[in-house]
Amino acid sequence: MSVLQTVKQKVGIADEKPSYRCEECGNEFQSDADPGSYWFQCPECGGEDLTSLE
């Protein structure tokens, strides 16, 4: 997490993380990772078939 994000979070003005649902296991979670990046996957099962909830 960047210093700027940490300060925003402490002050209470942090950006909301986008929410996603894994189509493989149904897990709903929030992620800062960009779609298409190596880190953009379900934290439960590692699935990459994710749907935005927003």
Side-chain angles (χ1 to χ4, degrees):
M1 180 180 297
S2 72
V3 173
L4 183 57
Q5 274 301 94
T6 303
V7 171
K8 284 182 175 181
Q9 188 176 33
K10 295 293 181 186
V11 177
I13 58 171
D15 299 327
E16 288 290 320
K17 295 180 184 180
S19 297
Y20 300 95
R21 178 178 44 248
C22 177
E23 296 301 325
E24 294 179 32
C25 72
N27 182 40
E28 293 184 5
F29 61 96
Q30 294 181 330
S31 176
D32 281 332
D34 293 325
S37 76
Y38 174 79
W39 303 108
F40 189 67
Q41 61 185 349
C42 175
E44 290 292 319
C45 72
E48 297 179 356
D49 185 14
L50 307 174
T51 303
S52 176
L53 296 178
E54 299 181 5

